[in-house]
Amino acid sequence: MRRDHHVLALAVSGVHQLIINNKLLQYTSPMLWLHHPVSLLLICTLVLLGVLRSFSAPEPLAADAPDVEFSALRSEAILRDILQDGVPHVAGSPANLVVRNRIISHLEASGYQVEIQSRFHCNPLFGACSPVDNLIAVKPGSSAKNAVLLTAHYDSGWTGPGAADDAAGTAAVLEIARMTADFPAFKNDIIFLLSDSEENGLIGADAFAQFDPLFTKVKVVINLEARGTTGSSALFETGNGNRGIIRMFSKNVDRPVANSLVNEIYKRMPNDTDYTVYKRKGVMGLNFAFSQGVAVYHSAIDDPDHLDIGSLQHHGDNAWSMMKALADRDLDHIISPEDAGYIDIFASRLLHYPSSIVLGLSLVLGVWVLIAIGIAFGKDLRFWQLRWGLLIIPFLLGSIVLGGYLLSFPLGHWPDLHPIEHPYPWVGRLALFGVAVLSLFTTLKLFTDRVSPGAMMLLCWGLIILAGMVLVNKLPTAGHIALVPLAMFAIGSVIDVFRKKSPVPLLMASVLGFAGTSFISFYHYFMLDVVLNFDKSQFKIIPLAFMTLMVLPMLLAAVRDRELSWQPARWLLVAILLACLVHLSLPGFTPDRPRGMTLMYSEVEGSETAYIVLESLVTGFDEDYADGHGFKPVELDNGRSRASESPARAVPALNLPGVEVKVHSVRQEEMGWSHRFVLRAPESVEYLLMVIAKESLLDKAWVDGQLALDTSLESKHQRQADTLRLVNPDKSSFEIRLLTRSPDALSLAVVTWHELPKLLVAPFMRNWPEDAQAMEYGPRARKVQHITLDAGE
Ligand SMILES: [Zn+2]
């Protein structure tokens, strides 16, 4: 075998053979081994293993662990107790009352006097109203001036008991409250808040912030949440001016997992948690969540058996460490004048920096790196070499993205997949890693000796410096993406100065720079992996392009003056195709990573035909099942402005009870036209949604005199229509007032939910797929009514 056969086709030829045949053996200094392709592969494998630690949960501590340490097994016992009925418990439902009482018992058993903040509340940001029972316990501090708020929500969504979201957070708070009770008083008050009705629009948190006098003391919030059932509990959001609290986080947490880029992305995403309420009021905070296993999120099987107890351990460790640290801190200065950028290194250390130094630092490092390369290769650099290099970079990056796009078909389009998560991702991941290596090899094969390694090094690092400058200008707290590789290269270049004259200039700089780039590449690969499935492989693969670019100069040096053959590329291609074949045989859904699929009945008032609808909110439905039961695509009126197409079957309408509008009046006021009416809902309606078209120019809405919707409040969501929601209201007649800026008649759609008659869907429950579970709103009967309110005079 010639050497070029096995430089890169490591999967094919044995590593052992490769070392024996390699001419690099002739090098006398053992340090030169670092430059060998096998060493580089070893380095990036070690970095990969380290990065995987950032995305996995720790081992849970046993129930007999010392009482000053958070034990997930003690916390799990609490969780199993409060969820012992295993049913959904939406705010305002009888099931939630039971959960509420169990939480009160736990707090009382720990010696707290529990305050219950009880009211029917509306959050005007979301136009959502429901009954709220917030549960509050306080550990008084010695100075009693400021307070730390430790919080999680105890209500669940409509489907499943919500073990991960957010009974895990609730159980962690309860266990920490129990541990805290035995401690001598801290400086600040500790407020434990188990909030209600988060799922319906952060209603409990809003009620607490608006009406509980305790809130005025709160200077910092620790919120525990989940968007899945497993993985590390990451710090995904903080308040603005987080420099100081990030420094505390780095000092006090044993297993920090955080990346400031996530914080930046989250700001721009239409997602919210209770902390949104407090952040809008300018309160500093730390928001933790675990986010893998998203197929189970808001599903019928978000139960204690599907919760990763390691994730609960991580939640508890984070909250317990930070609560203790903040409890004795002077909280008047908890908001810093600037933000920090940060990223954890293998969940062991947090690398953090003030955003103000980023531009200067990247300039200094950039100049340093360019000078180091200039000194090392200056004599050999020629303009014509750079010209070829300019072609190589787009070729390499383009072929990686194209490869990812092509693989998105066998990995993501043909099998039936969840939009975000795959239950068995490793074969697909290896195929994508293979594409990156294949692109790298092809680039080497086509361009060897076209460009000198020195010129290539100058171009690649020059590109990083340039991209880094653009990045730190736009997003200073994402600076580490460029700063980590540059700093590693700079450190390596100092070591190189002390090395003897060597046949490989800038050896340590290149190797350390590559290690730093691998770290950034793999970290962001797995970050994207949590939000993208293989159908978007062309995006998924982009972080890997970064490290292939930075290893290219070293590999060009390794294959210099040698004719590479296509053989390794062929083997690699075969391996990738094999991986695709294996991936195609893996299921996209399993009973533990289910597809979301629900049967719903839907009728529109005035129509004799109604439908049984096969709903799939996040995921695709099972087509065999749909065909087998005669579900055909139908345009359905869901009350919102856009008609949606879903698989459905026609059935005669049940004529469910609907709402009635009484004593309607319109008056022109200073601000617009005010429509007042009494809305009478059917007895014990669980959910009532009023949709007001955008053309009506709705300003505000009130329910029984309480401001329920304010369309001038800027939310992270883009509203298609203005909506007013009532969840589990404790009565059936409401005084509604709508203030609009249009004099025209007002068109409303009202959607109510009723219990789904079991007999109606019984025939369709046969052959229900094993890998399907009810998700989000679950089985229900829906009635849509269109109502027109007369225009004013
Ligand atoms: Zn939640």
Side-chain angles (χ1 to χ4, degrees):
M1 255 185 156
R2 285 214 325 273
R3 177 176 173 270
D4 53 9
H5 278 230
H6 37 90
V7 165
L8 285 160
L10 298 163
V12 184
S13 55
V15 171
H16 178 71
Q17 221 176 354
L18 198 147
I19 292 168
I20 289 177
N21 288 343
N22 203 289
K23 285 180 183 149
L24 282 178
L25 272 178
Q26 294 158 2
Y27 285 161
T28 43
S29 159
M31 219 168 173
L32 291 178
W33 275 96
L34 283 173
H35 202 241
H36 192 288
V38 175
S39 308
L40 296 177
L41 189 70
L42 196 69
I43 289 170
C44 82
T45 308
L46 288 176
V47 171
L48 170 67
L49 293 177
V51 166
L52 284 174
R53 190 169 184 267
S54 293
F55 292 85
S56 51
E59 281 295 306
L61 282 192
D64 58 1
D67 220 18
V68 290
E69 283 182 285
F70 181 89
S71 150
L73 288 169
R74 285 196 292 256
S75 184
E76 185 195 3
I78 301 174
L79 180 137
R80 285 187 181 272
D81 176 58
I82 59 178
L83 294 189
Q84 58 185 271
D85 306 316
V87 293
H89 48 101
V90 176
S93 66
N96 205 37
L97 189 66
V98 176
V99 171
R100 183 201 84 153
N101 291 339
R102 292 200 187 111
I103 293 170
I104 293 173
S105 308
H106 280 282
L107 287 171
E108 284 177 348
S110 303
Y112 294 95
Q113 217 178 355
V114 182
E115 179 203 323
I116 306 172
Q117 187 198 19
S118 224
R119 54 179 281 121
F120 182 79
H121 187 71
C122 302
N123 184 350
L125 181 64
F126 297 103
C129 308
S130 84
V132 160
D133 278 358
N134 285 331
L135 308 175
I136 301 144
V138 181
K139 160 106 180 164
S142 55
S143 91
K145 193 171 126 238
N146 294 327
V148 178
L149 176 66
L150 176 56
T151 183
H153 69 91
Y154 73 89
D155 64 308
S156 78
W158 293 88
T159 316
D165 179 20
D166 191 19
T170 299
V173 172
L174 289 175
E175 169 63 6
I176 289 172
R178 188 194 64 77
M179 292 157 78
T180 310
D182 299 335
F183 267 66
F186 299 106
K187 184 174 164 194
N188 303 306
D189 286 358
I190 311 288
I191 301 171
F192 302 100
L193 165 65
L194 288 318
S195 70
D196 199 1
S197 207
E198 188 269 352
E199 299 287 0
N200 304 311
L202 325 180
I203 302 175
D206 193 70
F208 178 73
Q210 208 180 327
F211 293 107
D212 198 306
L214 281 171
F215 179 68
T216 53
K217 282 186 164 190
V218 174
K219 291 287 179 292
V220 61
V221 178
I222 302 169
N223 187 46
L224 299 178
E225 262 290 359
R227 196 217 60 159
T229 54
T230 181
S232 52
S233 166
L235 174 66
F236 71 98
E237 186 189 19
T238 71
N240 297 325
N242 63 19
R243 170 92 177 112
I245 204 162
I246 286 297
R247 203 185 268 153
M248 284 181 75
F249 177 68
S250 138
K251 267 193 205 137
N252 290 285
V253 168
D254 281 342
R255 199 180 164 108
V257 174
N259 181 350
S260 42
L261 182 61
V262 174
N263 191 30
E264 292 293 347
I265 295 170
Y266 185 79
K267 279 183 198 167
R268 294 158 177 82
M269 274 164 51
N271 299 59
D272 291 289
T273 68
D274 274 349
Y275 179 55
T276 301
V277 171
Y278 312 124
K279 188 173 179 174
R280 290 174 73 97
K281 295 190 184 293
V283 179
M284 179 47 69
L286 298 168
N287 208 350
F288 295 99
F290 44 91
S291 52
Q292 293 167 54
V294 69
V296 184
Y297 173 69
H298 284 190
S299 83
I301 59 164
D302 181 8
D303 54 32
D305 293 337
H306 286 89
L307 173 70
D308 182 347
I309 302 305
S311 302
L312 176 56
Q313 179 69 44
H314 204 192
H315 247 4
D317 287 341
N318 286 336
W320 175 234
S321 316
M322 285 315 291
M323 188 208 80
K324 279 188 300 173
L326 289 162
D328 283 323
R329 178 97 173 188
D330 172 12
L331 296 180
D332 285 328
H333 305 288
I334 196 68
I335 298 178
S336 308
E338 65 172 327
D339 276 338
Y342 47 88
I343 187 169
D344 69 279
I345 300 167
F346 309 155
S348 312
R349 282 250 182 315
L350 191 76
L351 185 77
H352 58 98
Y353 51 89
S355 59
S356 56
I357 69 158
V358 170
L359 193 62
L361 189 61
S362 54
L363 263 173
V364 169
L365 287 174
V367 171
W368 181 336
V369 167
L370 290 179
I371 290 177
I373 298 174
I375 291 174
F377 295 100
K379 282 179 294 186
D380 306 331
L381 289 178
R382 297 287 178 275
F383 178 72
W384 60 269
Q385 297 172 330
L386 294 177
R387 198 179 45 188
W388 274 107
L390 287 175
L391 192 66
I392 292 177
I393 291 174
F395 179 84
L396 175 63
L397 301 184
S399 61
I400 287 176
V401 174
L402 177 69
Y405 174 72
L406 292 176
L407 248 60
S408 73
F409 291 92
L411 298 181
H413 284 291
W414 297 327
D416 200 8
L417 279 192
H418 189 278
I420 296 177
E421 181 174 61
H422 197 284
Y424 304 105
W426 270 103
V427 180
R429 282 175 191 162
L430 287 176
L432 289 185
F433 293 174
V435 167
V437 176
L438 180 61
S439 304
L440 191 55
F441 184 86
T442 310
T443 309
L444 281 173
K445 166 75 184 140
L446 294 178
F447 296 99
T448 317
D449 298 332
R450 298 272 190 209
V451 57
S452 76
M456 202 61 224
M457 192 181 279
L458 185 69
L459 272 176
C460 290
W461 285 96
L463 187 70
I464 297 298
I465 293 164
L466 203 69
M469 297 305 273
V470 174
L471 185 72
V472 299
N473 250 311
K474 297 264 175 229
L475 273 183
T477 56
H480 50 265
I481 292 178
L483 287 179
V484 169
L486 288 173
M488 294 282 279
F489 189 99
I491 292 167
S493 70
V494 175
I495 302 173
D496 282 321
V497 171
F498 292 101
R499 284 169 58 229
K500 287 193 206 116
K501 198 166 164 42
S502 142
V504 185
L506 286 179
L507 172 74
M508 285 309 288
S510 307
V511 171
L512 288 185
F514 172 64
T517 320
S518 306
F519 167 66
I520 293 294
S521 282
F522 282 130
Y523 197 110
H524 292 85
Y525 174 84
F526 286 102
M527 222 176 87
L528 278 186
D529 200 58
V530 176
V531 288
L532 298 179
N533 209 338
F534 289 104
D535 56 331
K536 306 202 179 58
S537 290
Q538 65 272 36
F539 302 115
K540 230 174 152 75
I541 203 168
I542 287 174
L544 301 178
F546 192 31
M547 60 191 278
T548 53
L549 192 62
M550 303 325 277
V551 78
L552 193 61
M554 280 186 281
L555 294 178
L556 276 173
V559 300
R560 203 171 195 180
D561 304 327
R562 288 190 183 86
E563 182 67 29
L564 287 172
S565 103
W566 282 113
Q567 199 56 30
R570 284 189 207 116
W571 281 113
L572 206 50
L573 193 62
V574 169
I576 292 168
L577 292 176
L578 264 176
C580 288
L581 274 179
V582 174
H583 181 91
L584 278 166
S585 69
L586 294 170
F589 297 100
T590 64
D592 287 330
R593 290 287 181 269
R595 65 174 84 237
M597 216 166 92
T598 308
L599 285 180
M600 177 197 46
Y601 165 87
S602 177
E603 70 174 34
V604 179
E605 193 170 59
S607 170
E608 277 166 26
T609 309
Y611 294 94
I612 293 177
V613 186
L614 186 60
E615 262 193 320
S616 51
L617 284 152
V618 187
T619 68
F621 53 88
D622 184 320
E623 295 197 17
D624 290 340
Y625 171 86
D627 290 344
H629 288 273
F631 287 91
K632 297 266 165 1
V634 175
E635 284 255 311
L636 288 168
D637 178 356
N638 63 9
R640 291 174 180 262
S641 43
R642 277 189 201 162
S644 60
E645 197 171 76
S646 303
R649 273 185 69 123
V651 287
L654 295 171
N655 291 320
L656 296 166
V659 299
E660 283 177 278
V661 169
K662 307 219 154 168
V663 287
H664 172 241
S665 69
V666 201
R667 240 183 49 202
Q668 188 170 5
E669 294 179 358
E670 203 182 323
M671 304 297 291
W673 281 264
S674 171
H675 292 259
R676 286 170 190 271
F677 54 93
V678 171
L679 188 75
R680 184 156 304 156
E683 276 303 311
S684 68
V685 69
E686 289 183 341
Y687 181 92
L688 189 157
L689 174 78
M690 195 186 290
V691 184
I692 305 113
K694 274 279 176 209
E695 301 84 76
S696 306
L697 306 174
L698 183 76
D699 252 355
K700 289 185 174 65
W702 289 262
V703 175
D704 290 335
Q706 187 180 168
L707 181 64
L709 174 63
D710 182 347
T711 58
S712 67
L713 293 175
E714 226 174 279
S715 95
K716 292 165 95 186
H717 300 257
Q718 269 292 19
R719 297 192 194 93
Q720 297 294 336
D722 293 314
T723 57
L724 191 61
R725 266 178 296 158
L726 306 177
V727 176
N728 283 319
D730 40 14
K731 53 183 200 154
S732 52
S733 186
F734 307 90
E735 276 182 42
I736 309 279
R737 184 181 157 216
L738 303 176
L739 183 66
T740 72
R741 277 174 285 119
S742 162
D744 301 337
L746 194 55
S747 304
L748 301 178
V750 178
V751 181
T752 44
W753 289 359
H754 307 258
E755 205 172 316
L756 179 68
K758 288 235 160 58
L759 269 178
L760 191 69
V761 293
F764 307 107
M765 293 311 291
R766 271 179 290 122
N767 325 325
W768 187 258
E770 219 183 58
D771 65 11
Q773 291 286 349
M775 189 149 301
E776 290 294 340
Y777 304 118
R780 66 202 184 281
R782 176 175 83 183
K783 184 181 183 79
V784 178
Q785 292 169 273
H786 291 280
I787 296 166
T788 305
L789 301 180
D790 296 337
E793 296 292 291

